[in-house]
Amino acid sequence: MQSAHWIVKRYLHKRILLCTLVALGAFSLTLTIGFILQRSENKQQIENVTQRAVTTLDKILLAVENERDTLLPMVDKPCNNSLLKLRQQVAALKTVRSIFLVKSGIIYCSSAFGERSIPLRKLQPRLADNHSKLLLTIDRSLVKGSPVLMQWFPASKDGQDGVAIGINIDLVSDMMLDPFPPLITRVSLGIDDAWYVEDVGIIRQPIQREDERVYTRASSAFPFSIVVSGPSFWRLALRELPGRLPLALIFGLLAAWITWIATARRMSFSWEINMGIAQREFTLFCQPLLNTRAQRCDGVEILLRWNNPRLGPITPDVFIPIAEAKNLILPLTRYVLNETAKELHRFPADPKFHIGINVAAAHLRDDKILLEDLNNLWFSVNPTVQLTIELTERDALHDVNAGLLRALHGKNIQLAIDDFGTGNSSLSWLEKLHPDVLKIDKSFTHAIGTDAVNSTVTDIIIALGQRLNIELVAEGVETPEQANYLQRHGVHLLQGYLYAPPMPLEEFPQWLAEHNGPTTPIMP
């Protein structure tokens, strides 16, 4: 069975669960975004490294190519006439190791050694050629056995005349082929079917490990490509993920805190009560009050029921204490006053007919609030019936202005203490309020005929009411024995399942037509 504590605890758990889920979501989203950004950053860095390498070598080769028109005319000139210019070109180009002038396939002039007479194919079997050519090969002239990048410019249609330029690949490697760990573990220069790897040399097949990813960028100006290899983007991003955990944790906690603040109302039972009032989910019931001496129904007590479409039926024992604790009892009481005023046509237009409406002690703390509510919601419809305000003892009653009590009595409003004897300082209520009616709580009525302490208290309450000349109403009358006992002791206003259960307001006129005569007890 639901209780106020249980339902509030349930909402608290739901709120905590939601905040936890939001925190986890923000934590995961932060890590995911960080992972994606890191992966994109890794990819961008690799692209930048490869593009920078391609651009660097393009500039080197373009500088060499720009000297082609200067070097090719030297092919027909004697070596002694060209040697100085060749050496000046080597010094100017900086990355060039040597320049060879070739005539009829014979190297006849070298920038390093001067006059020579060596077949070009002896030093470079893949040269000469009738097209410009760029190749990775082994130096067999100046620094024998070392890798060299050869650039060939033909000077004749048959390709036997021309200029061969050896580019210092070690110097080029220092400028553009250094790895960039952990992002890049290896950088290779690829030309045709040969690859140069720093500290490895020239190889005929690129090195590739199963756990590495290869990224290639080709030059658009020259026939070479830069190949980089390293861990995959996602693996590198995963490596960086632990470093993002503090930030993700901060965002997760921040999101949870914002959610906790934002759901303070919506994820609470007070929000449900506000929603119930706004959506008119609360239904008015009434329970008849029988005058057994006059054999008639003298009035009803208005009761509130709530069939919450989101949570199911919720009893007043659950939502009334929460409404009082969350300062929502005043809107709830106004709702009852307003709805009851709209349904007055269902009750006898008799000034002696009582309609009891429960009002919390909080409604009496301000002299004006209760009077304003009554004027706006009750007296505005010019009611004929007698209004009885039933004060519950769940809240402690503070000082009540005597002027307020006089104003209420002046408007012919009766004051009743509901559930007398079960709440806060009942005797002090009698002194402060001077009530017209005491309603004996059902716990004392049920004790009639037993040896329980409550049975003795029932007799004391009856004697007290009679001594103070306060009208007594017994609640929770369920058996003929209880009714007979109360009547014998002078209590003739009875309310309970013995006579009628709580019923919707629309059913009351039919019940009244059938039972407003000799009292006919109705068993539950």
Side-chain angles (χ1 to χ4, degrees), residues 296-496:
R296 69 172 182 268
C297 175
D298 271 3
V300 295
E301 179 183 0
I302 300 298
L303 304 171
L304 200 57
R305 298 292 183 264
W306 188 13
N307 187 14
N308 188 309
R310 296 166 295 279
L311 301 174
I314 301 176
T315 64
D317 291 340
V318 172
F319 66 81
I320 293 296
I322 298 176
E324 291 174 343
K326 300 298 182 179
N327 297 320
L328 292 172
I329 195 63
L330 299 189
L332 207 56
T333 303
R334 294 185 184 111
Y335 179 91
V336 174
L337 280 169
N338 186 54
E339 294 299 309
T340 304
K342 293 179 181 179
E343 300 292 334
L344 286 179
H345 62 279
R346 302 187 186 278
F347 304 105
D350 184 350
K352 296 182 180 180
F353 188 86
H354 297 259
I355 293 182
I357 294 179
N358 287 284
V359 174
H363 228 130
L364 301 180
R365 290 174 187 165
D366 190 305
D367 297 348
K368 297 180 180 180
I369 290 179
L370 182 57
L371 291 176
E372 289 178 356
D373 289 341
L374 290 173
N375 288 330
N376 294 333
L377 303 174
W378 183 259
F379 292 111
S380 60
V381 299
N382 298 316
T384 304
V385 295
Q386 167 77 54
L387 175 63
T388 300
I389 292 179
E390 299 184 8
L391 297 173
T392 58
E393 293 188 84
R394 279 182 291 266
D395 285 342
L397 183 66
H398 299 279
D399 292 336
V400 179
N401 191 299
L404 173 62
L405 299 179
R406 287 194 299 270
L408 294 176
H409 284 108
K411 290 180 175 291
N412 197 31
I413 297 175
Q414 287 191 340
L415 290 179
I417 298 180
D418 195 17
D419 303 330
F420 183 75
T422 61
N424 296 283
S425 305
S426 298
L427 293 178
S428 68
W429 280 53
L430 296 178
E431 180 184 357
K432 293 175 181 178
L433 296 177
H434 304 288
D436 305 288
V437 180
L438 289 184
K439 300 191 74 174
I440 304 172
D441 185 69
K442 59 185 178 181
S443 62
F444 300 115
T445 302
H446 293 168
I448 292 173
T450 69
D451 293 330
V453 174
N454 282 354
S455 179
T456 303
V457 175
T458 305
D459 295 338
I460 295 174
I461 293 175
I462 294 173
L464 179 63
Q466 293 171 345
R467 184 69 177 268
L468 296 176
N469 197 28
I470 300 175
E471 192 169 41
L472 294 168
V473 175
E475 298 179 303
V477 180
E478 296 183 355
T479 67
E481 290 77 14
Q482 295 170 354
N484 293 332
Y485 181 91
L486 290 166
Q487 291 178 73
R488 288 198 310 270
H489 286 75
V491 181
H492 298 286
L493 293 176
L494 307 181
Q495 178 183 348

Side-chain angles (χ1 to χ4, degrees), residues 75-385:
V75 173
D76 292 327
K77 295 179 180 179
C79 184
N80 290 335
N81 295 342
S82 304
L83 184 58
L84 179 60
K85 291 184 178 181
L86 290 180
R87 289 175 176 172
Q88 288 176 342
Q89 288 293 338
V90 170
L93 292 172
K94 296 180 182 179
T95 56
V96 171
R97 179 181 293 178
S98 61
I99 301 176
F100 303 104
L101 300 181
V102 180
K103 187 69 175 177
S104 299
I106 302 298
I107 297 175
Y108 75 93
C109 188
S110 167
S111 61
F113 299 108
E115 292 188 7
R116 308 282 319 260
S117 182
I118 302 174
L120 177 60
R121 291 189 180 275
K122 183 177 180 181
L123 297 183
Q124 298 296 334
R126 301 175 66 183
L127 296 179
D129 198 291
N130 57 359
H131 293 93
S132 295
K133 198 168 186 178
L134 182 69
L135 58 87
L136 280 170
T137 185
I138 300 299
D139 192 348
R140 296 181 177 85
S141 174
L142 186 60
V143 185
K144 295 182 178 180
S146 64
V148 67
L149 180 62
M150 296 297 300
Q151 178 78 56
W152 168 254
F153 298 124
S156 61
K157 292 183 179 180
D158 62 1
Q160 294 302 303
D161 299 346
V163 178
I165 303 175
I167 298 174
N168 189 344
I169 199 168
D170 290 332
L171 184 58
V172 170
S173 176
D174 291 340
M175 297 172 61
M176 51 174 278
L177 299 182
D178 283 337
F180 190 70
L183 189 62
I184 299 173
T185 57
R186 191 179 307 102
V187 183
S188 305
L189 170 63
I191 301 176
D192 292 335
D193 58 349
W195 284 265
Y196 173 78
V197 181
E198 190 175 23
D199 297 330
V200 175
I202 297 175
I203 55 179
R204 294 301 171 182
Q205 186 172 358
I207 300 174
Q208 182 178 354
R209 297 175 182 174
E210 292 183 358
D211 59 343
E212 289 185 335
R213 186 183 185 279
V214 174
Y215 184 85
T216 303
R217 179 177 289 272
S219 170
S220 58
F222 298 95
F224 74 88
S225 60
I226 299 296
V227 180
V228 299
S229 58
S232 62
F233 297 146
W234 66 267
R235 182 175 297 178
L236 286 171
L238 284 178
R239 289 183 185 176
E240 300 293 331
L241 214 54
R244 299 181 181 270
L245 289 177
L247 180 63
L249 183 60
I250 291 174
F251 275 115
L253 293 175
L254 181 61
W257 180 75
I258 293 174
T259 303
W260 181 265
I261 298 300
T263 59
R265 289 183 59 84
R266 189 172 182 85
M267 292 295 293
S268 66
F269 194 67
S270 58
W271 178 85
E272 286 286 350
I273 296 176
N274 279 317
M275 179 63 69
I277 295 174
Q279 299 295 329
R280 301 175 63 85
E281 296 169 359
F282 292 95
T283 305
L284 297 188
F285 276 55
C286 67
Q287 189 170 27
L289 185 68
L290 272 297
N291 186 332
T292 57
R293 178 182 293 169
Q295 298 292 304
R296 69 172 182 268
C297 175
D298 271 3
V300 295
E301 179 183 0
I302 300 298
L303 304 171
L304 200 57
R305 298 292 183 264
W306 188 13
N307 187 14
N308 188 309
R310 296 166 295 279
L311 301 174
I314 301 176
T315 64
D317 291 340
V318 172
F319 66 81
I320 293 296
I322 298 176
E324 291 174 343
K326 300 298 182 179
N327 297 320
L328 292 172
I329 195 63
L330 299 189
L332 207 56
T333 303
R334 294 185 184 111
Y335 179 91
V336 174
L337 280 169
N338 186 54
E339 294 299 309
T340 304
K342 293 179 181 179
E343 300 292 334
L344 286 179
H345 62 279
R346 302 187 186 278
F347 304 105
D350 184 350
K352 296 182 180 180
F353 188 86
H354 297 259
I355 293 182
I357 294 179
N358 287 284
V359 174
H363 228 130
L364 301 180
R365 290 174 187 165
D366 190 305
D367 297 348
K368 297 180 180 180
I369 290 179
L370 182 57
L371 291 176
E372 289 178 356
D373 289 341
L374 290 173
N375 288 330
N376 294 333
L377 303 174
W378 183 259
F379 292 111
S380 60
V381 299
N382 298 316
T384 304
V385 295

